[in-house]
Amino acid sequence: MASDNESANAPSPAMLRLEICLAAGMMLLSAGFAVFMPYLIATGGISAAQDFLRLTPVFFPRLAFAVLTALCAFYLMDAWRRARYIQSAENPGEAARFRRGVLMIVIIAAYSLLVSALGYGLSTLLMAGAVIWYLGIRKIWIVASVSIVMPIVVRFIFERLLLISLPRSDYEAIAVVEDVIMKFLSGLFLGK
């Protein structure tokens, strides 16, 4: 019988299912690379040297991905074996944890897509506001002040003190507002 400490550290059924899916995905991806490696490596060199007796540039990558496929298959079998012996009692909070993680990934992905169009300032303002709201702070004045002050301070430090450029907005109206704020802060703190 397992002790209380072992059962507390045992992975949940949802995590084991995710581990099985990831192991299967890695196995299929590495098998695909092993099979299609000749199409992924540029050909060239002496044609006479590329017969079945000589090693081509495809040999070692194909061998490495074949070994990786075998290792992933062993990992998949181990995860499958462990999943069979785990208790099937689901933790009701586990789905909420996955949703929170996925939502945070979506926020970060949206930020990385917006930063090139909206520039650093506005996209960071939106991302910081969304993350602060998501983390449970519901007072509007806190969300607004932190999400407005943070990108301004970071932009000022990077651009005016460290001389590192941050992405500028593609929209001129947004870029002009950011430039005016930076000039004001430079005059205020740096005397420029």
Side-chain angles (χ1 to χ4, degrees):
M1 175 129 189
S3 68
D4 290 337
N5 191 19
E6 289 176 0
S7 62
N9 292 333
S12 68
M15 288 303 287
L16 285 173
R17 285 193 297 270
L18 179 64
E19 189 175 0
I20 289 169
C21 291
L22 289 175
M26 289 188 315
M27 185 181 73
L28 292 174
L29 188 65
S30 60
F33 279 137
V35 170
F36 296 109
M37 189 53 64
Y39 302 108
L40 300 174
I41 293 182
T43 58
I46 303 169
S47 299
Q50 296 180 3
D51 61 8
F52 70 96
L53 295 176
R54 302 214 181 352
L55 300 178
T56 65
V58 175
F59 178 74
F60 286 111
R62 186 178 254 180
L63 179 66
F65 281 112
V67 169
L68 182 62
T69 302
L71 292 174
C72 288
F74 287 125
Y75 177 52
L76 176 65
M77 288 186 300
D78 181 58
W80 188 277
R81 181 190 52 79
R82 284 185 292 130
R84 287 189 330 182
Y85 296 113
I86 196 72
Q87 296 174 358
S88 63
E90 280 289 328
N91 183 357
E94 188 131 3
R97 285 183 23 215
F98 280 120
R99 280 195 302 274
R100 287 193 308 266
V102 167
L103 183 60
M104 199 63 192
I105 290 170
V106 167
I107 290 172
I108 292 169
Y111 172 70
S112 66
L113 293 174
L114 289 176
V115 78
S116 61
L118 297 179
Y120 173 79
L122 186 58
S123 61
T124 303
L125 184 143
L126 294 173
M127 188 268 312
V131 169
I132 291 168
W133 189 269
Y134 173 72
L135 290 176
I137 299 174
R138 300 287 190 251
K139 293 182 180 177
I140 297 298
W141 68 273
I142 294 175
V143 173
S145 62
V146 171
S147 62
I148 290 171
V149 170
M150 187 187 70
I152 292 173
V153 169
V154 170
R155 183 173 210 112
F156 178 76
I157 290 170
F158 272 79
E159 288 190 350
R160 303 303 174 175
L161 299 178
L162 299 175
L163 302 175
I164 298 171
S165 295
L166 294 175
R168 193 169 190 260
S169 176
D170 290 343
Y171 302 105
E172 195 61 31
I174 298 169
V176 167
V177 170
E178 289 179 353
D179 290 341
V180 167
I181 293 170
M182 288 302 110
K183 286 179 184 175
F184 172 74
L185 291 174
S186 293
L188 186 65
F189 293 112
L190 302 176
K192 293 182 181 180

